[in-house]
Amino acid sequence: MSQAIDALAEIFSWIGFGVGALLAGVALIMYLLDGTWLPVRAVVESGPNGRLVRWFDEDGGVGEAHLTHEQDHHIGDSDMADIFVRRGSLNRMRLTHGSPAVRAVTRLAIGMLALGVVALVTSLVMLFVRG
């Protein structure tokens, strides 16, 4: 029975550390490709194709983006909103500072690395218990 636990702990430690490191690398690349997002205060208006937000960027240009249904629901009836815009782009905005995709991959990487640590600790405990 202890040999089966040793084998499973070994497999899970290799999978946890390997996949966790791979996902951490992917998350880092995604973070770097995501670019720089700046906080701005935007005006919410109703347009012919739904609600949209307009803002001034750091160079004095006027940015404009249509709200998705979820963004519109999150902003509600407000006529002003705090948003994040992509530096150098006048039509890209989001409501969160960090990318939800990067955050999800990072959390998955942390979970896999935690699996590797737990499997490694289990393997070491089994080693010392057997003497």
Side-chain angles (χ1 to χ4, degrees):
M1 178 70 178
S2 67
Q3 291 177 346
I5 293 174
D6 286 341
L8 285 175
E10 183 78 18
I11 290 169
F12 282 132
S13 65
W14 279 103
I15 289 174
F17 287 130
V19 174
L22 179 69
L23 286 174
V26 169
L28 177 64
I29 291 170
M30 288 174 64
Y31 175 75
L32 293 174
L33 291 176
D34 190 37
T36 304
W37 292 78
L38 304 171
V40 296
R41 185 89 169 146
V43 176
V44 181
E45 298 178 354
S46 294
N49 296 328
R51 292 180 60 182
L52 55 103
V53 290
R54 291 191 174 132
W55 66 89
F56 291 107
D57 69 352
E58 60 187 0
D59 298 326
V62 177
E64 174 182 291
H66 289 277
L67 295 174
T68 64
H69 178 69
E70 291 81 15
Q71 291 170 338
D72 189 20
H73 185 276
H74 185 268
I75 290 175
D77 294 333
S78 300
D79 57 350
M80 299 285 285
D82 292 320
I83 62 171
F84 294 89
V85 297
R86 175 94 187 249
R87 176 177 278 164
S89 178
L90 293 176
N91 62 351
R92 293 188 62 191
M93 62 78 68
R94 63 183 177 207
L95 298 176
T96 60
H97 180 65
S99 170
V102 173
R103 196 168 34 248
V105 173
T106 302
R107 288 179 180 166
L108 187 58
I110 290 170
M112 292 304 290
L113 290 170
L115 173 69
V117 168
V118 168
L120 181 65
V121 168
T122 302
S123 179
L124 290 174
V125 166
M126 292 297 293
L127 180 69
F128 286 113
V129 164
R130 274 186 275 136

